[in-house]
Amino acid sequence: GQQLNQSPQSMFIQEGEDVSMNCTSSSIFNTWLWYKQDPGEGPVLLIALYKAGELTSNGRLTAQFGITRKDSFLNISASIPSDVGIYFCAGLLYGQNFVFGPGTRLSVLP
Amino acid sequence: GAVVSQHPSRVICKSGTSVKIECRSLDFQATTMFWYRQFPKQSLMLMATSNEGSKATYEQGVEKDKFLINHASLTLSTLTVTSAHPEDSSFYICSARPVAGVVYEQYFGPGTRLTVT
């Protein structure tokens, strides 16, 4: 079945630094989504991307839908302590269910 | 808006007993609800998709007789783990897609942590 890879698996950064993470797949998707999950909570949608090449921002977050439709990246600028959590990418191919990546665990050091 | 609740948030049960988890969409109607399972430090794995008034569709490898799903109304779906065993211990998360929602739209509940002793 379809699988997503996320890198890095985990990262430790200083408060104020920018963060970049990506998600890759061997198959194409029609929609890419980025979620954040806090410990013991359900995921919350951050950004949804609908077409290849699309670049979308949500506050300090920016995400892009790769031209090949097989990848996406998420950037967080000027990180703050509340950015701590697990970031999941998810791909959606029409007519099929979501596929979630394994997540990138972000820790922000004060 | 678009709030999904789950009850209970945590449950501990003895091996061999059954546990019911509720998923409710509080401020919208959901034709479709999804049930996921998440092991520690792992991703979400879709278990089943339930549509109001019809039988759930289970993913490959998920035992339908063990994980009973009922979606009796547009705001409530339940997952019953029957004859639970320690290996069923996990974090169970539901999500709901609004009736008029687009295909990617789903709102997640806060999850239920099940521990089977």
Side-chain angles (χ1 to χ4, degrees), chain A residues 13-45:
Chain A
I13 60 167
Q14 294 289 139
E15 185 177 352
E17 287 184 350
D18 296 343
V19 174
S20 184
M21 60 187 79
N22 65 35
C23 185
T24 59
S25 169
S26 57
S27 348
I28 62 172
F29 288 100
N30 299 118
T31 301
W32 283 96
L33 305 132
W34 285 92
Y35 290 88
K36 177 176 183 263
Q37 184 179 29
D38 291 328
E41 299 289 333
V44 174
L45 180 65

PDB file of all heavy atoms in Angstrom, chain A residues 13-45:
ATOM      1  N   ILE A  13      15.264  22.174  18.537  1.00  0.00           N
ATOM      2  CA  ILE A  13      15.692  23.482  18.053  1.00  0.00           C
ATOM      3  C   ILE A  13      15.589  24.503  19.177  1.00  0.00           C
ATOM      4  O   ILE A  13      14.889  24.277  20.168  1.00  0.00           O
ATOM      5  CB  ILE A  13      14.845  23.953  16.856  1.00  0.00           C
ATOM      6  CG1 ILE A  13      13.371  24.061  17.267  1.00  0.00           C
ATOM      7  CG2 ILE A  13      15.002  23.016  15.673  1.00  0.00           C
ATOM      8  CD1 ILE A  13      12.528  24.791  16.267  1.00  0.00           C
ATOM      9  N   GLN A  14      16.269  25.598  18.984  1.00  0.00           N
ATOM     10  CA  GLN A  14      16.194  26.699  19.932  1.00  0.00           C
ATOM     11  C   GLN A  14      14.994  27.573  19.587  1.00  0.00           C
ATOM     12  O   GLN A  14      14.664  27.753  18.409  1.00  0.00           O
ATOM     13  CB  GLN A  14      17.455  27.557  19.882  1.00  0.00           C
ATOM     14  CG  GLN A  14      18.724  26.868  20.356  1.00  0.00           C
ATOM     15  CD  GLN A  14      18.740  26.645  21.854  1.00  0.00           C
ATOM     16  OE1 GLN A  14      19.161  25.607  22.324  1.00  0.00           O
ATOM     17  NE2 GLN A  14      18.282  27.627  22.606  1.00  0.00           N
ATOM     18  N   GLU A  15      14.379  28.106  20.612  1.00  0.00           N
ATOM     19  CA  GLU A  15      13.282  29.045  20.404  1.00  0.00           C
ATOM     20  C   GLU A  15      13.748  30.168  19.484  1.00  0.00           C
ATOM     21  O   GLU A  15      14.842  30.706  19.644  1.00  0.00           O
ATOM     22  CB  GLU A  15      12.832  29.611  21.749  1.00  0.00           C
ATOM     23  CG  GLU A  15      11.620  30.516  21.668  1.00  0.00           C
ATOM     24  CD  GLU A  15      11.166  30.993  23.041  1.00  0.00           C
ATOM     25  OE1 GLU A  15      11.696  30.496  24.056  1.00  0.00           O
ATOM     26  OE2 GLU A  15      10.287  31.875  23.091  1.00  0.00           O
ATOM     27  N   GLY A  16      12.921  30.507  18.514  1.00  0.00           N
ATOM     28  CA  GLY A  16      13.273  31.574  17.582  1.00  0.00           C
ATOM     29  C   GLY A  16      13.824  31.073  16.260  1.00  0.00           C
ATOM     30  O   GLY A  16      13.845  31.811  15.264  1.00  0.00           O
ATOM     31  N   GLU A  17      14.273  29.837  16.246  1.00  0.00           N
ATOM     32  CA  GLU A  17      14.817  29.280  15.005  1.00  0.00           C
ATOM     33  C   GLU A  17      13.690  28.887  14.051  1.00  0.00           C
ATOM     34  O   GLU A  17      12.556  28.652  14.461  1.00  0.00           O
ATOM     35  CB  GLU A  17      15.666  28.036  15.309  1.00  0.00           C
ATOM     36  CG  GLU A  17      16.998  28.341  15.951  1.00  0.00           C
ATOM     37  CD  GLU A  17      17.830  27.072  16.133  1.00  0.00           C
ATOM     38  OE1 GLU A  17      17.306  25.961  15.935  1.00  0.00           O
ATOM     39  OE2 GLU A  17      19.013  27.202  16.478  1.00  0.00           O
ATOM     40  N   ASP A  18      14.057  28.776  12.777  1.00  0.00           N
ATOM     41  CA  ASP A  18      13.119  28.287  11.776  1.00  0.00           C
ATOM     42  C   ASP A  18      13.235  26.767  11.685  1.00  0.00           C
ATOM     43  O   ASP A  18      14.287  26.193  11.958  1.00  0.00           O
ATOM     44  CB  ASP A  18      13.416  28.909  10.416  1.00  0.00           C
ATOM     45  CG  ASP A  18      13.221  30.418  10.409  1.00  0.00           C
ATOM     46  OD1 ASP A  18      12.551  30.946  11.339  1.00  0.00           O
ATOM     47  OD2 ASP A  18      13.736  31.075   9.486  1.00  0.00           O
ATOM     48  N   VAL A  19      12.146  26.139  11.292  1.00  0.00           N
ATOM     49  CA  VAL A  19      12.073  24.676  11.214  1.00  0.00           C
ATOM     50  C   VAL A  19      11.647  24.280   9.816  1.00  0.00           C
ATOM     51  O   VAL A  19      10.779  24.933   9.223  1.00  0.00           O
ATOM     52  CB  VAL A  19      11.035  24.138  12.218  1.00  0.00           C
ATOM     53  CG1 VAL A  19      10.836  22.646  12.053  1.00  0.00           C
ATOM     54  CG2 VAL A  19      11.437  24.477  13.640  1.00  0.00           C
ATOM     55  N   SER A  20      12.239  23.218   9.313  1.00  0.00           N
ATOM     56  CA  SER A  20      11.814  22.696   8.021  1.00  0.00           C
ATOM     57  C   SER A  20      11.705  21.185   8.113  1.00  0.00           C
ATOM     58  O   SER A  20      12.591  20.517   8.632  1.00  0.00           O
ATOM     59  CB  SER A  20      12.820  23.085   6.943  1.00  0.00           C
ATOM     60  OG  SER A  20      12.362  22.667   5.679  1.00  0.00           O
ATOM     61  N   MET A  21      10.614  20.646   7.630  1.00  0.00           N
ATOM     62  CA  MET A  21      10.421  19.202   7.616  1.00  0.00           C
ATOM     63  C   MET A  21       9.738  18.816   6.320  1.00  0.00           C
ATOM     64  O   MET A  21       9.073  19.644   5.693  1.00  0.00           O
ATOM     65  CB  MET A  21       9.583  18.754   8.819  1.00  0.00           C
ATOM     66  CG  MET A  21       8.209  19.355   8.884  1.00  0.00           C
ATOM     67  SD  MET A  21       7.331  18.956  10.422  1.00  0.00           S
ATOM     68  CE  MET A  21       8.085  20.105  11.575  1.00  0.00           C
ATOM     69  N   ASN A  22       9.943  17.559   5.898  1.00  0.00           N
ATOM     70  CA  ASN A  22       9.292  17.196   4.648  1.00  0.00           C
ATOM     71  C   ASN A  22       8.692  15.804   4.701  1.00  0.00           C
ATOM     72  O   ASN A  22       8.911  15.032   5.641  1.00  0.00           O
ATOM     73  CB  ASN A  22      10.235  17.347   3.459  1.00  0.00           C
ATOM     74  CG  ASN A  22      11.396  16.395   3.520  1.00  0.00           C
ATOM     75  OD1 ASN A  22      11.277  15.271   3.975  1.00  0.00           O
ATOM     76  ND2 ASN A  22      12.541  16.835   3.044  1.00  0.00           N
ATOM     77  N   CYS A  23       7.950  15.539   3.674  1.00  0.00           N
ATOM     78  CA  CYS A  23       7.169  14.310   3.565  1.00  0.00           C
ATOM     79  C   CYS A  23       7.289  13.816   2.131  1.00  0.00           C
ATOM     80  O   CYS A  23       7.095  14.593   1.188  1.00  0.00           O
ATOM     81  CB  CYS A  23       5.719  14.631   3.914  1.00  0.00           C
ATOM     82  SG  CYS A  23       4.632  13.217   3.985  1.00  0.00           S
ATOM     83  N   THR A  24       7.632  12.560   1.955  1.00  0.00           N
ATOM     84  CA  THR A  24       7.787  12.023   0.607  1.00  0.00           C
ATOM     85  C   THR A  24       7.020  10.722   0.457  1.00  0.00           C
ATOM     86  O   THR A  24       6.771  10.002   1.424  1.00  0.00           O
ATOM     87  CB  THR A  24       9.270  11.768   0.271  1.00  0.00           C
ATOM     88  OG1 THR A  24       9.806  10.834   1.217  1.00  0.00           O
ATOM     89  CG2 THR A  24      10.079  13.044   0.305  1.00  0.00           C
ATOM     90  N   SER A  25       6.690  10.432  -0.786  1.00  0.00           N
ATOM     91  CA  SER A  25       5.933   9.224  -1.083  1.00  0.00           C
ATOM     92  C   SER A  25       6.411   8.656  -2.405  1.00  0.00           C
ATOM     93  O   SER A  25       6.955   9.364  -3.248  1.00  0.00           O
ATOM     94  CB  SER A  25       4.446   9.569  -1.167  1.00  0.00           C
ATOM     95  OG  SER A  25       3.725   8.484  -1.702  1.00  0.00           O
ATOM     96  N   SER A  26       6.184   7.370  -2.575  1.00  0.00           N
ATOM     97  CA  SER A  26       6.503   6.755  -3.859  1.00  0.00           C
ATOM     98  C   SER A  26       5.333   6.884  -4.829  1.00  0.00           C
ATOM     99  O   SER A  26       5.458   6.583  -6.012  1.00  0.00           O
ATOM    100  CB  SER A  26       6.862   5.274  -3.665  1.00  0.00           C
ATOM    101  OG  SER A  26       5.798   4.594  -3.031  1.00  0.00           O
ATOM    102  N   SER A  27       4.163   7.301  -4.300  1.00  0.00           N
ATOM    103  CA  SER A  27       2.998   7.465  -5.159  1.00  0.00           C
ATOM    104  C   SER A  27       2.535   8.916  -5.124  1.00  0.00           C
ATOM    105  O   SER A  27       2.911   9.676  -4.246  1.00  0.00           O
ATOM    106  CB  SER A  27       1.832   6.587  -4.723  1.00  0.00           C
ATOM    107  OG  SER A  27       2.162   5.642  -3.810  1.00  0.00           O
ATOM    108  N   ILE A  28       1.707   9.266  -6.063  1.00  0.00           N
ATOM    109  CA  ILE A  28       1.205  10.636  -6.125  1.00  0.00           C
ATOM    110  C   ILE A  28      -0.059  10.777  -5.289  1.00  0.00           C
ATOM    111  O   ILE A  28      -0.764   9.797  -5.023  1.00  0.00           O
ATOM    112  CB  ILE A  28       0.906  11.056  -7.586  1.00  0.00           C
ATOM    113  CG1 ILE A  28      -0.192  10.167  -8.183  1.00  0.00           C
ATOM    114  CG2 ILE A  28       2.167  11.027  -8.430  1.00  0.00           C
ATOM    115  CD1 ILE A  28      -0.676  10.641  -9.545  1.00  0.00           C
ATOM    116  N   PHE A  29      -0.299  12.005  -4.872  1.00  0.00           N
ATOM    117  CA  PHE A  29      -1.516  12.322  -4.141  1.00  0.00           C
ATOM    118  C   PHE A  29      -2.181  13.543  -4.768  1.00  0.00           C
ATOM    119  O   PHE A  29      -1.522  14.367  -5.396  1.00  0.00           O
ATOM    120  CB  PHE A  29      -1.205  12.594  -2.662  1.00  0.00           C
ATOM    121  CG  PHE A  29      -0.834  11.357  -1.897  1.00  0.00           C
ATOM    122  CD1 PHE A  29       0.493  11.054  -1.624  1.00  0.00           C
ATOM    123  CD2 PHE A  29      -1.823  10.483  -1.464  1.00  0.00           C
ATOM    124  CE1 PHE A  29       0.825   9.902  -0.925  1.00  0.00           C
ATOM    125  CE2 PHE A  29      -1.485   9.331  -0.759  1.00  0.00           C
ATOM    126  CZ  PHE A  29      -0.154   9.041  -0.492  1.00  0.00           C
ATOM    127  N   ASN A  30      -3.480  13.668  -4.553  1.00  0.00           N
ATOM    128  CA  ASN A  30      -4.221  14.833  -5.031  1.00  0.00           C
ATOM    129  C   ASN A  30      -4.242  15.952  -4.013  1.00  0.00           C
ATOM    130  O   ASN A  30      -4.417  17.115  -4.352  1.00  0.00           O
ATOM    131  CB  ASN A  30      -5.676  14.439  -5.343  1.00  0.00           C
ATOM    132  CG  ASN A  30      -5.766  13.386  -6.409  1.00  0.00           C
ATOM    133  OD1 ASN A  30      -6.254  12.292  -6.179  1.00  0.00           O
ATOM    134  ND2 ASN A  30      -5.282  13.701  -7.603  1.00  0.00           N
ATOM    135  N   THR A  31      -4.111  15.569  -2.752  1.00  0.00           N
ATOM    136  CA  THR A  31      -4.172  16.538  -1.667  1.00  0.00           C
ATOM    137  C   THR A  31      -3.137  16.176  -0.626  1.00  0.00           C
ATOM    138  O   THR A  31      -2.965  14.997  -0.314  1.00  0.00           O
ATOM    139  CB  THR A  31      -5.580  16.528  -1.007  1.00  0.00           C
ATOM    140  OG1 THR A  31      -6.564  16.838  -1.991  1.00  0.00           O
ATOM    141  CG2 THR A  31      -5.661  17.549   0.123  1.00  0.00           C
ATOM    142  N   TRP A  32      -2.452  17.192  -0.124  1.00  0.00           N
ATOM    143  CA  TRP A  32      -1.516  16.993   0.983  1.00  0.00           C
ATOM    144  C   TRP A  32      -2.036  17.812   2.165  1.00  0.00           C
ATOM    145  O   TRP A  32      -2.499  18.930   2.006  1.00  0.00           O
ATOM    146  CB  TRP A  32      -0.113  17.486   0.624  1.00  0.00           C
ATOM    147  CG  TRP A  32       0.665  16.571  -0.264  1.00  0.00           C
ATOM    148  CD1 TRP A  32       0.779  16.645  -1.621  1.00  0.00           C
ATOM    149  CD2 TRP A  32       1.448  15.447   0.134  1.00  0.00           C
ATOM    150  NE1 TRP A  32       1.581  15.643  -2.083  1.00  0.00           N
ATOM    151  CE2 TRP A  32       2.014  14.887  -1.028  1.00  0.00           C
ATOM    152  CE3 TRP A  32       1.744  14.853   1.375  1.00  0.00           C
ATOM    153  CZ2 TRP A  32       2.845  13.766  -1.007  1.00  0.00           C
ATOM    154  CZ3 TRP A  32       2.572  13.748   1.397  1.00  0.00           C
ATOM    155  CH2 TRP A  32       3.114  13.211   0.222  1.00  0.00           C
ATOM    156  N   LEU A  33      -1.916  17.217   3.338  1.00  0.00           N
ATOM    157  CA  LEU A  33      -2.353  17.907   4.550  1.00  0.00           C
ATOM    158  C   LEU A  33      -1.270  17.819   5.605  1.00  0.00           C
ATOM    159  O   LEU A  33      -0.533  16.830   5.648  1.00  0.00           O
ATOM    160  CB  LEU A  33      -3.638  17.270   5.096  1.00  0.00           C
ATOM    161  CG  LEU A  33      -4.784  17.193   4.090  1.00  0.00           C
ATOM    162  CD1 LEU A  33      -5.395  15.808   4.080  1.00  0.00           C
ATOM    163  CD2 LEU A  33      -5.849  18.198   4.416  1.00  0.00           C
ATOM    164  N   TRP A  34      -1.191  18.841   6.416  1.00  0.00           N
ATOM    165  CA  TRP A  34      -0.275  18.836   7.546  1.00  0.00           C
ATOM    166  C   TRP A  34      -1.078  19.020   8.830  1.00  0.00           C
ATOM    167  O   TRP A  34      -1.901  19.935   8.933  1.00  0.00           O
ATOM    168  CB  TRP A  34       0.762  19.951   7.413  1.00  0.00           C
ATOM    169  CG  TRP A  34       1.815  19.631   6.393  1.00  0.00           C
ATOM    170  CD1 TRP A  34       1.816  19.962   5.072  1.00  0.00           C
ATOM    171  CD2 TRP A  34       3.018  18.899   6.628  1.00  0.00           C
ATOM    172  NE1 TRP A  34       2.944  19.475   4.467  1.00  0.00           N
ATOM    173  CE2 TRP A  34       3.712  18.819   5.386  1.00  0.00           C
ATOM    174  CE3 TRP A  34       3.596  18.299   7.749  1.00  0.00           C
ATOM    175  CZ2 TRP A  34       4.940  18.170   5.253  1.00  0.00           C
ATOM    176  CZ3 TRP A  34       4.821  17.663   7.621  1.00  0.00           C
ATOM    177  CH2 TRP A  34       5.479  17.600   6.379  1.00  0.00           C
ATOM    178  N   TYR A  35      -0.815  18.134   9.791  1.00  0.00           N
ATOM    179  CA  TYR A  35      -1.492  18.170  11.083  1.00  0.00           C
ATOM    180  C   TYR A  35      -0.457  18.304  12.198  1.00  0.00           C
ATOM    181  O   TYR A  35       0.694  17.883  12.067  1.00  0.00           O
ATOM    182  CB  TYR A  35      -2.261  16.863  11.345  1.00  0.00           C
ATOM    183  CG  TYR A  35      -3.475  16.630  10.490  1.00  0.00           C
ATOM    184  CD1 TYR A  35      -3.371  16.002   9.248  1.00  0.00           C
ATOM    185  CD2 TYR A  35      -4.729  17.007  10.931  1.00  0.00           C
ATOM    186  CE1 TYR A  35      -4.494  15.766   8.478  1.00  0.00           C
ATOM    187  CE2 TYR A  35      -5.865  16.765  10.166  1.00  0.00           C
ATOM    188  CZ  TYR A  35      -5.734  16.148   8.945  1.00  0.00           C
ATOM    189  OH  TYR A  35      -6.846  15.915   8.188  1.00  0.00           O
ATOM    190  N   LYS A  36      -0.929  18.868  13.323  1.00  0.00           N
ATOM    191  CA  LYS A  36      -0.101  18.888  14.538  1.00  0.00           C
ATOM    192  C   LYS A  36      -0.863  18.155  15.633  1.00  0.00           C
ATOM    193  O   LYS A  36      -2.080  18.360  15.797  1.00  0.00           O
ATOM    194  CB  LYS A  36       0.185  20.317  14.977  1.00  0.00           C
ATOM    195  CG  LYS A  36       0.990  20.422  16.275  1.00  0.00           C
ATOM    196  CD  LYS A  36       1.307  21.858  16.581  1.00  0.00           C
ATOM    197  CE  LYS A  36       2.174  21.955  17.845  1.00  0.00           C
ATOM    198  NZ  LYS A  36       1.409  22.241  19.040  1.00  0.00           N
ATOM    199  N   GLN A  37      -0.134  17.318  16.349  1.00  0.00           N
ATOM    200  CA  GLN A  37      -0.749  16.584  17.455  1.00  0.00           C
ATOM    201  C   GLN A  37       0.002  16.895  18.744  1.00  0.00           C
ATOM    202  O   GLN A  37       1.217  16.700  18.824  1.00  0.00           O
ATOM    203  CB  GLN A  37      -0.735  15.080  17.193  1.00  0.00           C
ATOM    204  CG  GLN A  37      -1.450  14.283  18.270  1.00  0.00           C
ATOM    205  CD  GLN A  37      -1.455  12.787  17.988  1.00  0.00           C
ATOM    206  OE1 GLN A  37      -0.540  12.271  17.352  1.00  0.00           O
ATOM    207  NE2 GLN A  37      -2.476  12.093  18.460  1.00  0.00           N
ATOM    208  N   ASP A  38      -0.725  17.385  19.725  1.00  0.00           N
ATOM    209  CA  ASP A  38      -0.152  17.590  21.051  1.00  0.00           C
ATOM    210  C   ASP A  38      -0.302  16.293  21.835  1.00  0.00           C
ATOM    211  O   ASP A  38      -1.198  15.487  21.546  1.00  0.00           O
ATOM    212  CB  ASP A  38      -0.869  18.726  21.779  1.00  0.00           C
ATOM    213  CG  ASP A  38      -0.575  20.074  21.146  1.00  0.00           C
ATOM    214  OD1 ASP A  38       0.541  20.251  20.626  1.00  0.00           O
ATOM    215  OD2 ASP A  38      -1.462  20.947  21.165  1.00  0.00           O
ATOM    216  N   PRO A  39       0.533  16.074  22.841  1.00  0.00           N
ATOM    217  CA  PRO A  39       0.467  14.820  23.607  1.00  0.00           C
ATOM    218  C   PRO A  39      -0.923  14.559  24.164  1.00  0.00           C
ATOM    219  O   PRO A  39      -1.542  15.434  24.773  1.00  0.00           O
ATOM    220  CB  PRO A  39       1.483  15.063  24.738  1.00  0.00           C
ATOM    221  CG  PRO A  39       2.437  16.058  24.176  1.00  0.00           C
ATOM    222  CD  PRO A  39       1.621  16.953  23.299  1.00  0.00           C
ATOM    223  N   GLY A  40      -1.421  13.342  23.932  1.00  0.00           N
ATOM    224  CA  GLY A  40      -2.716  12.966  24.480  1.00  0.00           C
ATOM    225  C   GLY A  40      -3.903  13.617  23.819  1.00  0.00           C
ATOM    226  O   GLY A  40      -5.011  13.572  24.353  1.00  0.00           O
ATOM    227  N   GLU A  41      -3.677  14.226  22.649  1.00  0.00           N
ATOM    228  CA  GLU A  41      -4.774  14.887  21.937  1.00  0.00           C
ATOM    229  C   GLU A  41      -4.886  14.339  20.517  1.00  0.00           C
ATOM    230  O   GLU A  41      -3.996  13.645  20.032  1.00  0.00           O
ATOM    231  CB  GLU A  41      -4.521  16.405  21.867  1.00  0.00           C
ATOM    232  CG  GLU A  41      -4.436  17.087  23.225  1.00  0.00           C
ATOM    233  CD  GLU A  41      -5.789  17.168  23.907  1.00  0.00           C
ATOM    234  OE1 GLU A  41      -6.819  17.184  23.194  1.00  0.00           O
ATOM    235  OE2 GLU A  41      -5.821  17.188  25.154  1.00  0.00           O
ATOM    236  N   GLY A  42      -5.985  14.690  19.862  1.00  0.00           N
ATOM    237  CA  GLY A  42      -6.125  14.337  18.466  1.00  0.00           C
ATOM    238  C   GLY A  42      -5.421  15.350  17.582  1.00  0.00           C
ATOM    239  O   GLY A  42      -5.128  16.470  18.013  1.00  0.00           O
ATOM    240  N   PRO A  43      -5.125  14.993  16.343  1.00  0.00           N
ATOM    241  CA  PRO A  43      -4.459  15.922  15.421  1.00  0.00           C
ATOM    242  C   PRO A  43      -5.347  17.107  15.054  1.00  0.00           C
ATOM    243  O   PRO A  43      -6.566  16.982  14.990  1.00  0.00           O
ATOM    244  CB  PRO A  43      -4.193  15.054  14.184  1.00  0.00           C
ATOM    245  CG  PRO A  43      -4.326  13.647  14.637  1.00  0.00           C
ATOM    246  CD  PRO A  43      -5.330  13.676  15.741  1.00  0.00           C
ATOM    247  N   VAL A  44      -4.695  18.213  14.800  1.00  0.00           N
ATOM    248  CA  VAL A  44      -5.384  19.422  14.369  1.00  0.00           C
ATOM    249  C   VAL A  44      -4.823  19.825  13.019  1.00  0.00           C
ATOM    250  O   VAL A  44      -3.600  19.869  12.843  1.00  0.00           O
ATOM    251  CB  VAL A  44      -5.195  20.563  15.394  1.00  0.00           C
ATOM    252  CG1 VAL A  44      -5.792  21.862  14.864  1.00  0.00           C
ATOM    253  CG2 VAL A  44      -5.829  20.192  16.723  1.00  0.00           C
ATOM    254  N   LEU A  45      -5.694  20.098  12.072  1.00  0.00           N
ATOM    255  CA  LEU A  45      -5.256  20.464  10.734  1.00  0.00           C
ATOM    256  C   LEU A  45      -4.577  21.824  10.735  1.00  0.00           C
ATOM    257  O   LEU A  45      -5.109  22.802  11.275  1.00  0.00           O
ATOM    258  CB  LEU A  45      -6.449  20.487   9.775  1.00  0.00           C
ATOM    259  CG  LEU A  45      -6.133  20.854   8.322  1.00  0.00           C
ATOM    260  CD1 LEU A  45      -5.248  19.791   7.675  1.00  0.00           C
ATOM    261  CD2 LEU A  45      -7.427  21.023   7.518  1.00  0.00           C
TER     262      LEU A  45
END
